[in-house]
Amino acid sequence: MVAEGARRRVVVEVCNARNLMPKDGQGTACAYAVVDFDGQRRRTATRPRDLNPQWGERLEFLVHDPDAMASETLELNLYNDKKAIAATGSGRRGGTFLGKVKVAGASFAKAGDEALVYYPLEKRSVFSQIKGEIGLKIWFVDDPPPPPPAAPAAEEKGADAAAADKKEAPAEGKEGKAPDAAAAAAAPPPSPSKKDLAIAGIAGDLEIRPQSAAEKSMAASGASASYDLVDRVPYLFVRLLKAKRHGGGQPLYAQLAIGTHAVRTRAATAADEWDLVFAFHKDSLTDTSLEVTVHEEAKKPAKEGEPVPADAHLGFVSFDLQEVPKRSPPDSALAPQWYTLEGHGSEDGAAACDVMLAVWVGTQVDEAFQEAWHSDSGGYLVHTRSKAYLSPKLWYLRLSVIQAQDLRLPSPPDAKVKQCGPMFPELYVKAQLGAQVFKTGRVPLGSAAAGTSNPSWNEDLLFVAAEPFDPFLTVAVEDVFSGQAVGQARVPLSTVHRRADDRVEPPSRWLNLCGDEARPYAGRVHVRVCLEGGYHVLDEAANVASDVRAASKHLSKPPVGMLEVGVRGAANLVPMKIAKDGASGSTDAYVVLKYGPKWARTRTILDQFNPRWNEQYAWDVFDPCTVLTIAVFDNVRYKAAGGDTPAKDSRIGKLRVRLSTLDTNRVYTNTFPLTAVHPVGVRKVGELELAIRFTCPSWLTLMQAYGSPLLPRMHYVKPLGPAQQDVLRHTAMRIVSGRLARSEPPLGPEVVQYLLDTDTHSWSMRRSKANWFRVVGCLSHVATAVRWAHRVRTWAHPPTTVLVHALLVAVVLCPEMILPTVCLYLFLVLLWRYRARPRQPAGMDPRLSHVDSVSPDELDEEFDGLPSCRPADVVRMRYDRLRAVAGRAQTLLGDVAAQGERVEALLSWRDPRATGVFAVVCLLAALVLYAVPFKVLLLGMGFYYLRHPRFRGDMPSAGFNFFRRLPSLSDRVL
């Protein structure tokens, strides 16, 4: 927040551009930039005839509303200067577009944290020819408020002073305006309005740009949800602020009662406040009056064993629910009032206590709904409240270990020297960030002296760092054989360089190693440390990612739309908590939604198999090809809160919705089945009713997102290996689950890991079958085409075969019609299938997951952890089964390899006779192809392939037999 009276300025430093598109007809361009922000426009100078212009100009903009800066968008347009072209006497007249860049206001850095970021130039339309990138530095500065003007001192002047003033009056008459001018110069200028800025302008080039529909929609995304996707449910809200006791100093607490509903607040002293809001589902109330009573906690007995006195009842206040006022935003909030309690007073007849509260009827739209303690969630229970969480911002920390110098190795133990003789040290570098430990490879030093050994590694170690960062990165050099550390150093993460791409090389540094007391200086190590902001740190499986933005906010782009999800309710949930007698059960369900870094958790509705939440949440969407994950859990923690044994919430079910399968600006209200896989089997555990809407104001912006890379640029120019990325992803999962578990109420690790799919890569016979049949399903279209061709060539349906002959003649005689015909055919097929498109978002597919054909032992194996905790005979049986499956896969891989080796055998003369025959056939084919026209050859080959069955034999062809007889390398495998 900006202090009152302070002003905020946004500074844009246009540094340079690279690889611009030539636009002047001479292979160059005269580029200048026009920057628009908050209704203001600035322009840089023109750099004539340069495809890599350098500006280095700073443009300043005044922010009229600092709180709304995040919703603004800075737009830079690059043009070719027509005046500069005309001055040279060549080229075309008229300015031409060179590209544009849009930067969201939320990505602006504070002064001192700015960095040079190269933005790729975007097209203005689909047909624009644009290339290149432009380097910008953008930051904002908060100017302090001006000091208040000093009050003039009122002094009485005597006659002498008046005379002196009169004598000096002529001199003041000549210079009387100077002090006023100086004061006017010293006073801060008033903040100009947009109208004043539009009139004044900057070199006549200032204009007020109206907000686009996308910007207005994105600006409203942070506002409270309108709750138009769920049912408006009336609630009775009671805001308890504080109580005032006339005498007495014990803590007070209040109790609210409406029929069978009773809720108690915490105890608070007179100097403290409750400041609590309670919400009662109005349709579930069993009485027509609300009673609020205040109690005073009794003093604890001075001695152990004495009876504990009862709490003192200070009085009550009652409200008729028929007379409670109704409120609906944007109405102002109802102010709390003091109410005098009845039913108990002091000896002199005065009231014993007053309570300040407010009572009204509202819906979920009310601002108090999110902070209220709900009656259907157990009242004043922390672990049952609704809550929104944010994942910590994750970065990759890259440590490049270059070399070490002037190492002073510790003396090895005498026992090892006697046992192993003289040892040559092998050194490696170990780095630690929090619980993450990585090591470089070993570097042998031979018999070199310790003082002159300079080992070199040139290896990169990658860590996952979460904001707020750990204070230090520890770097140590250790010896393998002696097991001792040569020395270690610590790097404060607050001093680490941050970069957004690979164009800027981070500075290197020398770290002095500290050894033991005998070696306070143990040498130094040369490293390069930087925080990689150009990567997106994956904390979930890549195929179900919900966010693909880079870590650096300088690379963030404005959102393309908004996702709104209304959690309406669930039905037919199974009992998750079974009573000891086994005759009854209960379920305390809540829903967790995860999209991007934001997690949303609904309140827990206690002991309901058909709970109705009617809560709505919204997210900004930056990429349409992302996935929303929703899961339902049974709350176990609230009963075990404060206990010694940590409880874990039970899974009920999960589903995912891919945003690219949703139509924009349409509301989907659907009921999704919940299917759970347990070690004992698979069963349907209920249904979840959701309302989903994906809003996108600009169709063109959405289509441009499909053509952009899925991941940030660094993933392609400096990619990470699959194994390394998998390790980093699991590390990020542990960091996120650890941070969210420390929230209040905590989001348990079992909840986070279930939504992030931590067990995706674990072995499962069921998942292996599902993936195998997915591959078979993809290849089924090819198999269908092969079967159709076989039916055509065998004349199973003669009219079809005749039509194929005619099509073959047309294709051979008019080959230029092949591609247009294929494209038109695909278009007609897609048009025909449009009628059968999915009309509702699809949830989890039990048939695709092969949950019906799985055996109990395979399910038990799927839920078995690492290492296995099953008996030895069970593990041996599963191992034998896995060997059988792997044997079939091994045979399949061998057959595929044999086909490729037979092709290589044709050219390697492994079988001299076969290769000789192939050489003669190649020579004859060359003569035939030279002598016979190509179209005639194609017709002949096509007619021969489609010949009637009476002209073909039952045995395989000679060419097929020849290929099968070629040698492979399978006979040489041991």
Side-chain angles (χ1 to χ4, degrees):
M1 297 294 293
V2 182
E4 184 177 358
R7 296 192 307 168
R8 174 172 289 182
R9 294 178 293 112
V10 172
V11 183
V12 181
E13 183 176 346
V14 184
C15 300
N16 63 335
R18 299 175 177 175
N19 304 322
L20 298 180
M21 177 70 73
K23 292 289 186 177
D24 62 351
Q26 301 293 327
T28 60
C30 301
Y32 70 92
V34 176
V35 186
D36 295 280
F37 180 73
D38 200 5
Q40 307 162 56
R41 171 171 289 181
R42 304 288 186 271
R43 169 183 166 166
T44 66
T46 301
R47 294 294 179 259
R49 296 193 172 279
D50 194 354
L51 295 179
N52 299 285
Q54 302 281 337
W55 285 286
E57 299 185 23
R58 292 188 178 183
L59 310 177
E60 293 191 4
F61 300 86
L62 180 65
V63 181
H64 299 92
D65 187 2
D67 296 334
M69 187 187 73
S71 62
E72 296 283 348
T73 301
L74 184 142
E75 183 173 344
L76 181 144
N77 289 272
L78 210 58
Y79 295 99
N80 190 31
D81 195 346
K82 61 180 182 179
K83 296 181 180 179
I85 298 174
T88 59
S90 62
R92 299 169 300 188
R93 291 188 175 272
T96 48
F97 181 71
L98 294 177
K100 69 176 181 179
V101 168
K102 288 186 177 182
V103 184
S107 65
F108 295 170
K110 196 173 182 180
D113 297 335
E114 67 274 6
L116 176 61
V117 180
Y118 284 90
Y119 298 91
L121 294 174
E122 302 176 358
K123 297 181 178 181
R124 184 166 53 186
S125 64
V126 180
F127 305 101
S128 300
Q129 295 183 356
I130 301 300
K131 71 173 184 177
E133 56 191 3
I134 187 167
L136 302 176
K137 288 183 179 180
I138 308 176
W139 67 93
F140 64 89
V141 180
D142 291 330
D143 297 327
E155 299 180 355
E156 295 184 357
K157 300 182 180 180
D160 297 338
D165 292 342
K166 191 173 182 180
K167 289 180 181 179
E168 295 176 2
E172 290 183 3
K174 296 179 181 179
E175 302 176 4
K177 295 183 179 180
D180 297 337
S191 300
S193 63
K194 291 189 176 183
K195 182 178 180 181
D196 299 334
L197 289 171
I199 295 175
I202 303 298
D205 199 16
L206 175 68
E207 70 175 13
I208 294 183
R209 177 176 50 86
Q211 276 192 320
S212 63
E215 291 172 341
K216 292 179 180 178
S217 174
M218 296 309 105
S221 64
S224 60
S226 59
Y227 283 88
D228 57 340
L229 299 181
V230 295
D231 299 331
R232 295 284 184 91
V233 180
Y235 283 90
L236 176 67
F237 291 96
V238 182
R239 179 182 290 276
L240 279 171
L241 196 62
K242 57 184 177 181
K244 181 170 58 178
R245 170 73 190 276
H246 305 288
Q250 288 299 110
L252 306 178
Y253 67 89
Q255 187 170 0
L256 289 76
I258 308 176
T260 58
H261 295 280
V263 180
R264 171 181 166 172
T265 69
R266 69 179 187 276
T269 60
D272 196 4
E273 295 182 355
W274 293 309
D275 195 13
L276 299 174
V277 179
F278 295 93
F280 298 87
H281 198 299
K282 200 167 184 299
D283 295 340
S284 64
L285 300 181
T286 58
D287 203 345
T288 59
S289 64
L290 163 69
E291 185 175 284
V292 180
T293 59
V294 179
H295 302 263
E296 183 181 30
E297 283 192 339
K299 293 183 179 180
K300 295 182 179 179
K303 296 181 180 180
E304 294 184 1
E306 294 184 359
V308 179
D311 296 341
H313 176 71
L314 301 182
F316 69 92
V317 58
S318 181
F319 298 88
D320 187 356
L321 298 186
Q322 303 296 330
E323 299 178 358
V324 173
K326 295 183 179 181
R327 175 184 176 266
S328 178
D331 297 346
S332 299
L334 199 63
Q337 300 179 14
W338 284 105
Y339 292 89
T340 301
L341 300 184
E342 304 173 2
H344 190 280
S346 60
E347 296 179 355
D348 58 357
C353 184
D354 295 336
V355 63
M356 178 178 281
L357 57 87
V359 184
W360 73 95
V361 174
T363 62
Q364 305 101 308
V365 186
D366 201 294
E367 298 87 351
F369 180 79
Q370 296 297 334
E371 59 174 318
W373 301 86
H374 294 265
S375 59
D376 55 3
S377 298
Y380 197 66
L381 294 176
V382 175
H383 290 269
T384 61
R385 299 195 67 184
S386 60
K387 184 80 172 184
Y389 306 85
L390 280 178
S391 297
K393 190 174 183 180
L394 303 177
W395 296 69
Y396 284 143
L397 176 67
R398 185 184 297 274
L399 172 65
S400 301
V401 183
I402 303 174
Q403 64 173 351
Q405 290 184 359
D406 197 21
L407 294 180
R408 301 179 181 180
L409 303 181
S411 301
D414 296 337
K416 270 199 171 182
V417 174
K418 293 180 181 179
Q419 181 180 359
C420 305
M423 295 183 298
F424 304 118
E426 281 192 14
L427 303 181
Y428 64 89
V429 175
K430 182 178 73 173
Q432 182 175 1
L433 179 66
Q436 306 173 59
V437 179
F438 292 100
K439 301 177 182 179
T440 65
R442 303 176 180 180
V443 175
L445 296 183
S447 59
T452 60
S453 58
N454 297 321
S456 178
W457 289 276
N458 292 316
E459 292 186 26
D460 288 351
L461 303 179
L462 218 57
F463 301 83
V464 178
E467 294 184 358
F469 298 122
D470 292 328
F472 296 102
L473 168 69
T474 304
V475 180
V477 179
E478 297 185 359
D479 183 13
V480 177
F481 292 104
S482 65
Q484 298 179 350
V486 178
Q488 69 175 11
R490 296 197 301 179
V491 181
L493 261 65
S494 58
T495 64
V496 172
H497 175 78
R498 302 186 184 189
R499 68 172 183 176
D501 51 31
D502 62 330
R503 300 181 182 92
V504 181
E505 189 71 19
S508 62
R509 61 175 72 180
W510 287 94
L511 304 178
N512 292 330
L513 300 175
C514 298
D516 49 21
E517 296 181 356
R519 298 176 299 108
Y521 173 74
R524 59 178 187 168
V525 61
H526 192 197
V527 298
R528 185 179 287 112
V529 190
C530 70
L531 286 166
E532 298 282 7
Y535 289 96
H536 169 70
V537 182
L538 284 172
D539 59 349
E540 52 194 343
N543 59 321
V544 292
S546 61
D547 188 13
V548 291
R549 290 177 293 168
S552 176
K553 67 177 183 179
H554 301 290
L555 300 179
S556 63
K557 295 182 179 180
V560 299
M562 185 169 62
L563 173 66
E564 297 171 275
V565 181
V567 184
R568 300 174 65 88
N572 304 322
L573 296 181
V574 298
M576 301 298 295
K577 302 183 185 73
I578 306 299
K580 293 183 179 180
D581 56 0
S584 61
S586 63
T587 298
D588 308 318
Y590 68 93
V591 182
V592 178
L593 305 92
K594 198 269 181 185
Y595 183 78
K598 178 182 174 182
W599 303 64
R601 168 180 174 165
T602 67
R603 69 187 188 278
T604 301
I605 297 183
L606 303 181
D607 198 12
Q608 288 286 336
F609 297 125
N610 300 285
R612 303 297 297 179
W613 290 283
N614 285 306
E615 299 183 20
Q616 186 169 333
Y617 302 93
W619 291 265
D620 284 335
V621 177
F622 295 88
D623 194 297
C625 301
T626 46
V627 177
L628 167 70
T629 305
I630 306 170
V632 185
F633 295 88
D634 176 55
N635 197 330
V636 183
R637 289 177 177 267
Y638 84 96
K639 288 190 175 181
D644 298 333
T645 304
K648 293 184 178 181
D649 294 342
S650 304
R651 306 174 180 177
I652 296 182
K654 179 172 62 174
L655 63 96
R656 301 189 189 94
V657 178
R658 186 169 291 274
L659 268 62
S660 58
T661 62
L662 304 177
D663 292 340
T664 58
N665 307 320
R666 175 185 171 186
V667 178
Y668 292 90
T669 303
N670 196 16
T671 299
F672 298 88
L674 297 174
T675 304
V677 181
H678 297 283
V680 296
V682 181
R683 60 174 177 169
K684 183 179 178 181
V685 293
E687 297 175 344
L688 182 63
E689 184 181 357
L690 299 174
I692 305 174
R693 178 171 57 204
F694 176 34
T695 306
C696 181
S698 175
W699 184 83
L700 181 61
T701 304
L702 190 64
M703 290 297 101
Q704 288 177 348
Y706 277 85
S708 60
L710 181 63
L711 295 173
R713 180 177 178 273
M714 286 290 287
H715 286 271
Y716 303 99
V717 299
K718 205 167 185 179
L720 305 175
Q724 184 183 29
Q725 197 160 1
D726 189 57
V727 172
L728 294 174
R729 185 173 68 89
H730 281 81
T731 303
M733 287 180 180
R734 289 193 294 269
I735 292 175
V736 172
S737 61
R739 291 287 181 89
L740 295 181
R742 297 201 297 266
S743 304
E744 189 66 29
L747 199 62
E750 71 279 1
V751 176
V752 177
Q753 294 172 7
Y754 185 50
L755 270 78
L756 294 180
D757 278 342
T758 55
D759 57 348
T760 303
H761 298 289
S762 59
W763 165 254
S764 168
M765 181 68 74
R766 177 184 61 83
R767 289 199 187 102
S768 300
K769 290 180 180 178
N771 292 337
W772 168 256
F773 284 105
R774 285 169 59 195
V775 174
V776 171
C778 294
L779 298 178
S780 62
H781 303 290
V782 179
T784 302
V786 171
R787 287 194 297 268
W788 177 83
H790 180 72
R791 288 196 301 269
V792 170
R793 70 188 295 264
T794 55
W795 293 72
H797 190 248
T800 302
T801 306
V802 173
L803 290 177
V804 170
H805 279 80
L807 180 62
L808 176 63
V809 174
V811 166
V812 171
L813 297 181
C814 302
E816 66 276 3
M817 296 298 295
I818 296 177
L819 293 180
T821 304
V822 171
C823 294
L824 180 61
Y825 174 75
L826 290 177
F827 171 76
L828 295 176
V829 169
L830 295 175
L831 203 62
W832 178 262
R833 292 187 175 184
Y834 180 75
R835 301 184 305 167
R837 71 189 186 278
R839 302 301 176 96
Q840 295 291 337
M844 311 301 279
D845 191 345
R847 183 178 180 183
L848 181 66
S849 305
H850 278 264
V851 296
D852 299 331
S853 61
V854 63
S855 65
D857 182 69
E858 292 175 351
L859 282 177
D860 183 72
E861 180 186 15
E862 181 176 340
F863 285 89
D864 189 13
L866 289 176
S868 177
C869 58
R870 298 296 184 265
D873 54 343
V874 175
V875 175
R876 185 181 299 108
M877 181 269 294
R878 293 174 179 173
Y879 176 66
D880 293 340
R881 181 177 60 197
L882 181 61
R883 290 176 62 187
V885 174
R888 291 194 292 268
Q890 171 184 295
T891 304
L892 178 62
L893 291 176
D895 293 342
V896 173
Q899 309 309 317
E901 291 166 355
R902 289 190 175 103
V903 175
E904 293 181 354
L906 284 174
L907 308 176
S908 61
W909 292 89
R910 288 192 58 211
D911 186 342
R913 286 172 293 276
T915 306
V917 171
F918 181 67
V920 173
V921 170
C922 289
L923 178 60
L924 295 177
L927 297 177
V928 172
L929 292 174
Y930 178 76
V932 180
F934 185 69
K935 293 182 179 180
V936 176
L937 185 65
L938 285 180
L939 285 175
M941 293 173 61
F943 288 157
Y944 179 77
Y945 179 79
L946 298 173
R947 66 191 185 276
H948 198 272
R950 69 176 60 182
F951 300 114
R952 69 174 79 245
D954 298 332
M955 301 302 292
S957 64
F960 180 79
N961 295 331
F962 180 79
F963 181 78
R964 290 295 303 271
R965 292 177 178 274
L966 292 174
S968 66
L969 299 180
S970 57
D971 53 346
R972 300 177 60 183
V973 177
L974 294 176

